[in-house]
Amino acid sequence: MSQAGRRRTAAEWSRLLRELERSGQSPAVFARARGIRLGTLKWWRWRLNRETKGALGRPRESRVQLIAVHPAPDCAPPDRTTGTPVWELLAPTGHELRVYDPRGLVVLKTALFAVARGRRG
């Protein structure tokens, strides 16, 4: 099979699309210069963008990440049937974190720090 007609992996298409972005060329010029079908190039751009986008079109890296949270030993379990959460975090994925104890602010700060750290990494 010729170089132009061979099957490429998703990683190869991802590399080609990064090259396209850096080149400043239009997709048509870029594809023609490399012997790639324009429609195939556009399809792979759509597919890889779709795979890297999460809920609400955000990049997956910026989505909420769940971390283990353990109650402090001196905290009594809250009565969740009658209590009202002090704060709650609802993720687009449907995950929910509710904190009933006002001392749970430490948990909130820890969760927000973990999410922010995940974005940078």
Side-chain angles (χ1 to χ4, degrees):
M1 186 174 276
S2 71
Q3 180 70 11
R6 74 178 185 83
R7 289 191 176 266
R8 291 178 174 84
T9 65
E12 290 171 313
W13 281 107
S14 182
R15 182 185 50 77
L16 281 169
L17 289 165
R18 283 192 304 274
E19 285 179 26
L20 167 62
E21 287 178 24
R22 286 191 302 263
S23 75
Q25 297 174 325
S26 71
V29 170
F30 183 86
R32 193 174 323 114
R34 286 162 180 76
I36 300 169
R37 289 183 183 169
L38 178 59
T40 303
L41 179 69
K42 287 181 176 182
W43 184 85
W44 273 101
R45 183 172 54 184
W46 169 82
R47 178 176 175 217
L48 293 173
N49 280 338
R50 190 174 133 220
E51 287 180 3
T52 58
K53 298 282 181 178
L56 304 175
R58 294 185 198 133
R60 288 183 191 262
E61 299 80 45
S62 69
R63 290 176 60 194
V64 173
Q65 298 176 1
L66 299 180
I67 61 169
V69 178
H70 304 285
D74 62 338
C75 289
D79 180 4
R80 291 185 179 96
T81 59
T82 60
T84 302
V86 174
W87 63 267
E88 59 186 14
L89 177 65
L90 306 174
T93 59
H95 293 92
E96 300 173 1
L97 174 61
R98 288 188 178 84
V99 176
Y100 294 83
D101 190 315
R103 293 173 288 177
L105 190 56
V106 173
V107 175
L108 174 61
K109 288 179 182 177
T110 303
L112 293 174
F113 176 77
V115 170
R117 186 182 62 219
R119 272 195 207 136
R120 284 185 253 136

